[in-house]
Amino acid sequence: MNFTLSQVPDRSQKPRAKGITMVMDKGLSVRETEDMLSIASPYIDIVKLGWATSFVSPNLNEKLAVYKNANIPVYFGGTLFEAFVVRNQFEDYRKLLDKYDLQYAEVSDGSIEMAQDVKCEYIHTLSKQVTVLSEVGSKDENKIIPPYKWIQLIKSELQAGAWKVIGEARESGNVGLFRASGEVRQGLVEEILTEIPFEDMLWEAPQKSQQVWFVKLLGANVNLGNIAPSELIPLETIRLGLRGDTFNHFLNTKTKQKWKIDSK
C-alpha cells in the first residue's frame, strides 16, 4: 500500500487460499493484458478466459506467456469444456490443457444437461492432471435450483476433487446466484453457507452491488469471480472498506461512536 491507515482489514497474501479474485478476460489483447497487470497484478489470483473465447482469440500463446511471466494462473472457461464433452472430445480437451501448460481447469454443466455422477467423474479425472474448479448453477434464468440441491451438488463436487466450487452468475450477474435484476438470492447463499465453508466457494459477482453484499456478509477475504479488469482496483477498495459502500463496515466501535455512525 502507498501509505498507512488503521482499521483496515487484513488481506490474505498471494498465493491465497481465500480472498481470491478471479478475473474474467473476455478477449483482452496482449497489450491490454500487460496494461492490466501493470496496475493490478497484486490483486489478481487467477484469470478465466471467458466461456470459449480462447478458441477465437489471436495470439493466445503470447497472452498466456504474459500471464505466466506474472505468475498468474489461467484457465479456459467452462463452456469450452462443455463444447469438447458434447462433441465426445474429452481426451482432446485433456491434451489441450497439456499443450498450453495450463495448471487449472473448469468443469461445468451450465449449457448442457449432465448427470451429476458423470460430472463428478470428469472432476475426478481432471483433478489428477490439474487443479479443478467446478461450477454449480444454470445459465438458463428460468431454471431455478433449490438450495438443498445446490448443497448436494457442491458437496459431491468437492468430494470428487474440486479445489473450489464456483457459484454461477454469468458475466452479467443475472442468473444462478442472482435474480434477473441482479439482486442476490440471499436465502440461497445463506443456506449454502450453513453446510459449506465459505473458503470452498468462489462466488461470481460481476456487479458492484453484488461484491459489496458478499464483502459485508463474509469479510474482506471472500472469494469473488467474474471481475472485469477495470473493476480490480475498485474491488480491492471495497474489500478494505475504502469505498463509500463499505466505508463504515470495518471501523471499530469507538470510531463509530465518536462519529455517530450506525453500527448496522
Side-chain angles (χ1 to χ4, degrees), residues 2-3 31 72 82 94 109 125 131 145 158 169 197 230 253:
N2 293 321
F3 27 79
R31 179 165 295 179
I72 294 175
E82 295 178 49
R94 295 186 67 187
D109 57 354
T125 299
T131 299
I145 303 173
L158 289 170
S230 62
T253 301

Side-chain angles (χ1 to χ4, degrees), residues 1 3-9 240-242:
M1 301 304 169
F3 27 79
T4 301
L5 279 174
S6 65
Q7 301 177 56
V8 172
L240 297 175
L242 298 175

Side-chain angles (χ1 to χ4, degrees), residues 36-47:
M36 175 180 71
L37 296 179
S38 72
I39 189 66
S41 181
Y43 312 120
I44 302 171
D45 297 285
I46 190 165
V47 173

Side-chain angles (χ1 to χ4, degrees), residues 141 144 150 167-170 172-185 188-189 203-207 209-211 213-214:
E141 64 183 49
I144 304 299
W150 277 78
E168 172 71 79
R170 300 196 76 173
S172 53
N174 58 6
V175 298
L177 296 170
F178 307 103
R179 298 184 173 88
S181 64
E183 180 185 2
V184 182
R185 293 176 61 195
L188 167 63
V189 172
W203 313 96
E204 291 186 342
Q207 298 182 25
S209 61
Q210 298 163 353
Q211 298 159 16
W213 189 86
F214 277 109

Side-chain angles (χ1 to χ4, degrees), residues 189-203:
V189 172
E190 290 172 358
E191 192 157 345
I192 289 172
L193 290 168
T194 62
E195 298 198 40
I196 307 296
F198 87 97
E199 297 94 340
D200 290 339
M201 293 297 302
L202 195 159
W203 313 96

